[in-house]
Amino acid sequence: QRLQAEALPHDLPEIPGLTFDAFYQAGADDARIGGDWYDAMRLSDGRIVLSVGDVSGSGLDAAVTMANVRQILRGVAQIHPDPAMMLDAADRTLQAGDAERFVTAFVGVLDPVTWNLSYASAGHPRPLLRDRTGRLSELHASGLPLGTVGRVLRATENITLPADAMLVLYTDGLVETTHDLAA
């Protein structure tokens, strides 16, 4: 439990006009540690890096892979905060060291001044965007999971978030039992 708690952020960014919230619960009572993560960190230029992901399997090995991938994303973001490049670095590292693990991930970089969100996905469930009228839409991004054999080209997409929007990032654990996101 301590490793799981230490692998997830202790605090989320505090930015006027934005609210960050997170919830983590293991999918099974006996799985106190696993490979799902979420993260939000502020860069020195004020932009926010968001990531969410899921390592195949559960247990200590999945948790170690999760912590490694999360730290790779954080490190690359400090030098080059392009979501596709961040995922590419994590993919290369994963293939070099843990060729039997697959990881789905979504990475976004939000500019809180322009509300531009640049993002890329590695086979992760699509985030949901709710506008002020309550209309839901998915952020479209494609890409194979990290750890897939061969070179995978990922593209960074861009969207300007509407005022009063809510962006929901989640892992497939939310829908594994019901296969229904609304349930």
Side-chain angles (χ1 to χ4, degrees), residues 37 52-56 102-106 122-125 145-146 172:
W37 85 85
V52 63
D54 184 5
V55 177
S56 62
F102 292 97
V103 178
T104 66
F106 174 89
H124 200 74
L146 307 177
D172 65 357

Side-chain angles (χ1 to χ4, degrees), residues 83-103:
M85 289 183 140
M86 293 162 57
L87 288 170
D88 185 50
D91 189 32
R92 288 174 185 230
T93 304
L94 185 66
Q95 288 188 41
D98 195 356
E100 295 184 18
R101 292 264 176 215
F102 292 97
V103 178

Side-chain angles (χ1 to χ4, degrees), residues 1-12 22-26 32-40 51-54 63 66-68 70-71 74 171:
Q1 287 174 332
R2 183 173 175 207
L3 177 62
Q4 187 74 58
E6 291 300 318
L8 297 173
H10 295 276
D11 299 304
L12 297 172
F23 177 77
Y24 178 88
Q25 181 175 348
R32 295 184 184 179
I33 190 166
D36 290 14
W37 85 85
Y38 62 87
D39 198 8
S51 73
V52 63
D54 184 5
M66 172 268 295
N68 288 340
R70 182 174 164 257
Q71 286 307 110
R74 283 177 150 249
T171 65

Side-chain angles (χ1 to χ4, degrees), residues 8 30 60 80 84 115-116 119 139 146 170 173:
L8 297 173
D30 61 340
L60 185 58
H80 201 328
W115 297 99
N116 182 67
Y119 63 93
L139 294 188
L146 307 177
Y170 59 96

Side-chain angles (χ1 to χ4, degrees), residues 105-174:
F106 174 89
V107 175
V109 178
L110 175 64
D111 184 328
V113 175
T114 65
W115 297 99
N116 182 67
L117 176 70
S118 58
Y119 63 93
S121 180
H124 200 74
R126 293 177 174 170
L128 298 174
L129 181 63
R130 181 176 173 243
D131 68 17
R132 71 170 66 176
T133 68
R135 186 176 59 93
L136 288 175
S137 59
E138 292 181 333
L139 294 188
H140 295 283
S142 60
L144 295 174
L146 307 177
T148 304
V149 177
R151 182 94 167 101
V152 176
L153 294 177
R154 290 181 183 84
T156 295
E157 307 289 336
N158 288 283
I159 185 173
T160 300
L161 298 178
D164 299 325
M166 177 172 48
L167 182 64
V168 179
L169 310 176
Y170 59 96
T171 65
D172 65 357
L174 186 64

